[in-house]
Amino acid sequence: MRLPPARGPVSDRLIGTLPTPPSRAHPALTPLTGRGASGAAADEDLQLALHVCYELHYRGWEGVPEEWEWDPGLLALRASLEQRFEKDLRTRVAAPLLRDADTGRGIAEALQRLTEQEHGPPLAAHLQRDANAEEFREFVIHRSLYQLKEGDPHAWGIPRLAGPAKAALVEILADEYGGGRAERMHAELFRRTMRGLGLEDAYGHYLARVPAVTLATSNAISLFGLHRRLRGALVGHLAAFEMTSSLPNRRYGNGLRRIGGTPADTAFYDEHVTADAVHEQIAAHDVCGALVQAEPALTEDVLFGAACALALDARMSEHLLSRWRQGVSSLLTESRRCVSEV
């Protein structure tokens, strides 16, 4: 995968530096100061730079030396970006939802209460009933950033859990990876959906087209997964993801059939209707429940991760619907890529 075009001074320095051999003295790797945390989840420059840093831990970049992955200077830069992003998540994104969460309840019950509330616009209903083919393609492009690596960010939690919580997490992820059958991996099923809609199915192909609100939905999982101290947030995110999946995926599948989708095109969504109905119980009770029982101090982190999943997804959904209501694309154009905050 090639490095994307920059969206501001931070990503410009970073992307301009990575093709060269690592050097601790390079000015692009100096930790950043002077940029506030306000609006970090919608900051085009920050979110792209963070995604570029994180991708070194997944598939890497064409023409970028692999030594960059653990370069101390790059890690210092990444840490400065993460601090802003995490502060934004805690103060502006998750906080409104957490005010409504009852941390005195059992963790599964608290997660159920949190996920049953209405947190965003009715994107799934629009895609089921009203969206045209172009809008559905745009939706799939936004989702491709995560779905083509589905399971990978949450898999960082496996070595950081123990006992029943670890076993339950592996059970969920085994399904995400097709139970050992490559053609049944959820990422591969999503590629079929993309091909059916006439889209390119290569990993990261549409990175340059998706805005910060979409990048943030994926970056948050990597943030939680790559830091052991945030393991509670990671499994809370997974639980919210699974607990709010079955009904929307049914609607997505029905919407795709409405505009002519074949069984191969809708297989990804149909698979999630059944699988996630089971996964939501495992995630809430067997992963989060077991983790909190073993480490009660992580209760609030679990709910924080769940709240972030819900709030970031709602922000992305609102972006799509608001742009479509205006009769314009929800994807970035060349001119909009240079805007550091939207």
Side-chain angles (χ1 to χ4, degrees), residues 1-2 54-62 64 66 203:
M1 183 169 59
R2 294 182 179 179
Y54 284 149
E55 195 57 39
L56 291 167
H57 298 291
Y58 293 103
R59 308 289 182 88
W61 299 101
E62 181 180 332
V64 172
E66 294 188 352
Y203 180 92

Side-chain angles (χ1 to χ4, degrees), residues 18-37:
L18 286 177
T20 64
S23 170
R24 298 184 186 183
H26 200 288
L29 303 184
T30 302
L32 303 174
T33 60
R35 293 181 60 140

Side-chain angles (χ1 to χ4, degrees), residues 133 136-137 140 192-199 256 259 265 269:
F136 211 105
R137 279 192 286 270
V140 169
R192 295 184 202 171
T193 299
M194 298 186 76
R195 293 194 294 267
L197 288 167
L199 298 171
L256 188 49
I259 61 174
D265 299 337
Y269 301 116

Side-chain angles (χ1 to χ4, degrees), residues 282-312:
I282 299 173
H285 294 274
D286 300 333
V287 181
C288 295
L291 178 62
V292 167
Q293 183 176 12
E295 300 184 76
L298 296 181
T299 299
E300 291 190 12
D301 276 354
V302 171
L303 293 174
F304 165 66
C308 287
L310 299 170
L312 290 170

Side-chain angles (χ1 to χ4, degrees), residues 3-341:
L3 287 165
R7 300 184 191 177
V10 181
S11 56
D12 184 60
R13 292 200 305 263
L14 175 64
I15 291 168
T17 300
L18 286 177
T20 64
S23 170
R24 298 184 186 183
H26 200 288
L29 303 184
T30 302
L32 303 174
T33 60
R35 293 181 60 140
S38 178
D43 187 314
E44 296 290 347
D45 192 25
L46 185 149
Q47 291 298 331
L48 181 63
L50 198 51
H51 180 87
V52 169
C53 290
Y54 284 149
E55 195 57 39
L56 291 167
H57 298 291
Y58 293 103
R59 308 289 182 88
W61 299 101
E62 181 180 332
V64 172
E66 294 188 352
E67 290 78 9
W68 274 115
E69 181 180 5
W70 297 111
D71 179 78
L74 181 61
L75 294 179
L77 172 65
R78 195 188 87 189
S80 70
L81 299 172
E82 288 177 325
Q83 289 167 8
R84 291 162 175 76
F85 187 31
E86 185 178 347
K87 183 176 180 181
D88 190 43
L89 290 174
R90 291 189 181 278
T91 60
R92 302 179 72 243
V93 176
L97 297 184
L98 289 174
R99 281 197 294 267
D100 295 330
D102 185 353
T103 57
R105 297 168 182 258
I107 191 64
E109 186 179 355
L111 287 167
Q112 188 68 38
R113 185 170 182 267
L114 189 62
T115 56
E116 282 178 347
Q117 300 175 44
E118 183 64 49
H119 297 298
L123 177 62
H126 174 77
L127 290 166
Q128 178 182 10
R129 301 169 187 167
D130 304 313
N132 58 38
E134 185 56 34
E135 288 174 343
F136 211 105
R137 279 192 286 270
E138 287 194 8
F139 166 71
V140 169
I141 287 172
H142 283 276
R143 290 296 194 195
S144 69
L145 194 71
Y146 168 72
Q147 301 295 178
L148 292 181
K149 64 169 66 167
E150 185 172 358
D152 293 352
H154 291 115
W156 293 110
I158 294 174
R160 291 165 179 164
L161 303 181
K166 179 195 285 280
L169 178 59
V170 170
E171 181 179 359
I172 293 173
L173 292 176
D175 285 343
E176 307 290 354
Y177 294 125
R181 297 173 56 192
E183 73 279 6
R184 296 302 304 170
M185 292 173 63
H186 289 181
E188 182 56 37
L189 295 180
F190 195 78
R191 284 192 175 89
R192 295 184 202 171
T193 299
M194 298 186 76
R195 293 194 294 267
L197 288 167
L199 298 171
E200 293 291 335
D201 68 344
Y203 180 92
H205 179 82
Y206 292 102
L207 171 60
R209 301 296 311 281
V210 299
V213 290
T214 300
L215 291 171
T217 64
S218 179
N219 283 342
I221 321 175
S222 295
L223 170 67
F224 299 156
L226 287 168
H227 292 272
R228 183 180 178 277
R229 67 180 176 83
L230 294 173
R231 62 195 180 280
L234 180 69
V235 300
H237 183 288
L238 176 63
F241 198 83
E242 301 291 349
M243 295 171 77
T244 57
S245 177
S246 289
L247 179 57
N249 276 292
R250 184 184 301 279
R251 289 175 171 169
Y252 301 148
N254 289 339
L256 188 49
R257 278 183 280 272
R258 176 180 56 80
I259 61 174
T262 68
D265 299 337
T266 64
F268 173 84
Y269 301 116
D270 298 337
E271 168 73 13
H272 282 73
V273 172
T274 303
D276 289 352
V278 176
H279 289 174
E280 67 175 274
Q281 298 300 318
I282 299 173
H285 294 274
D286 300 333
V287 181
C288 295
L291 178 62
V292 167
Q293 183 176 12
E295 300 184 76
L298 296 181
T299 299
E300 291 190 12
D301 276 354
V302 171
L303 293 174
F304 165 66
C308 287
L310 299 170
L312 290 170
D313 186 70
R315 282 188 172 196
M316 191 190 78
S317 298
E318 177 56 41
H319 168 78
L320 269 65
L321 289 175
S322 66
R323 298 292 292 179
W324 294 341
R325 285 194 294 265
Q326 297 171 45
V328 296
S329 174
S330 64
L331 300 171
L332 289 182
T333 61
E334 186 65 35
S335 61
R336 291 176 61 214
R337 287 178 201 162
C338 298
V339 179
S340 64
E341 291 194 8

